[in-house]
Amino acid sequence: MANTKASNTDSKKTPQASGAAKGNSQLEQFFHEALKDLYWAEKNLVTALPKMEEAATSEELKKAIGEHLTQTEEHVNRLDQVFKLFGWNPQAKKCDAMQGLIEESESIVEETEDGTMTRDAAIIMAAQKIEHYEIATYGGLVQLAMTMGNDEAANILNITLEEEKEADQGLSAIAESGINWEAEQEVSEDDEEK
Ligand code: FE
Ligand code: ZN
Ligand code: FE
């Protein structure tokens, strides 16, 4: 089912995918499954990020999460494009890892006090775990797309990879700019009652 825009299925002399890799290799099947997994992850982040934004205390963190939400919507669109470059219909398959990471972010919100910097420090850590998962996944998929000779897909995945890295660094900067320090000054409720 060749997409007219795709170059991977009908290219002739490019020094790329040879033999089995021409459209139905085991590696391409694996790549397809990994793409569905990531598609699920990104789509679910579009739902999860607003909750993290809402739960955050500082305007700085709320803003960073809000901006990454906008990027994440674009990540979903880019994955749509990658599916199409391979001639596939975009399809999601549950990502157990992302489900777990999102659940962890939800319990972190439950376990920390509303309006505290400790809440923010904890949300930042949960968000960075999510970004690192995405960085690992996009990094791997960029390499696989290149191996299969689909440079266009590799380029698109790489744009998102760079945005995930920037998001991760931005979160580190916010934590280090004062949130962690302020959190350290916060007295626990248990101590206040004594
Ligand atoms: Fe993403
Ligand atoms: Zn997964
Ligand atoms: Fe992300």
Side-chain angles (χ1 to χ4, degrees), residues 42 68 72 75 134 138 160 164:
E42 293 284 24
H68 196 56
T72 300
H75 297 172
E134 292 183 295
Y138 278 103
T160 301
E164 306 293 16

Side-chain angles (χ1 to χ4, degrees), residues 36-101:
K36 293 180 199 170
D37 180 282
L38 184 55
Y39 195 59
W40 189 99
E42 293 284 24
K43 277 175 163 285
N44 278 268
L45 281 173
V46 170
T47 319
L49 286 172
K51 295 179 200 162
M52 291 169 83
E53 182 183 358
E54 163 94 34
T57 301
S58 66
E59 283 310 314
E60 209 183 353
L61 182 56
K62 281 181 189 287
K63 186 165 165 271
I65 296 172
E67 283 169 6
H68 196 56
L69 171 62
T70 308
Q71 286 182 320
T72 300
E73 286 162 352
E74 195 52 35
H75 297 172
V76 173
N77 294 334
R78 290 200 193 108
L79 288 177
D80 277 328
Q81 294 175 40
V82 174
F83 276 110
K84 282 169 193 154
L85 280 170
F86 280 86
W88 302 321
N89 288 322
Q91 201 186 332
K93 187 182 79 180
K94 187 181 159 200
C95 173
D96 293 322
M98 188 55 75
Q99 158 125 324
L101 289 167

Side-chain angles (χ1 to χ4, degrees), residues 103-114:
E103 280 171 7
E104 211 175 281
S105 78
E106 287 165 353
S107 30
I108 272 164
V109 168
E110 281 164 28
E111 289 160 12
T112 52
E113 225 180 299
D114 203 21

Side-chain angles (χ1 to χ4, degrees), residues 160-181:
T160 301
L161 173 62
E162 291 306 317
E163 287 182 1
E164 306 293 16
K165 288 181 187 169
E166 282 165 26
D168 177 52
Q169 287 161 7
L171 288 166
S172 287
I174 292 172
E176 289 157 23
S177 75
I179 284 176
N180 283 357
W181 186 84

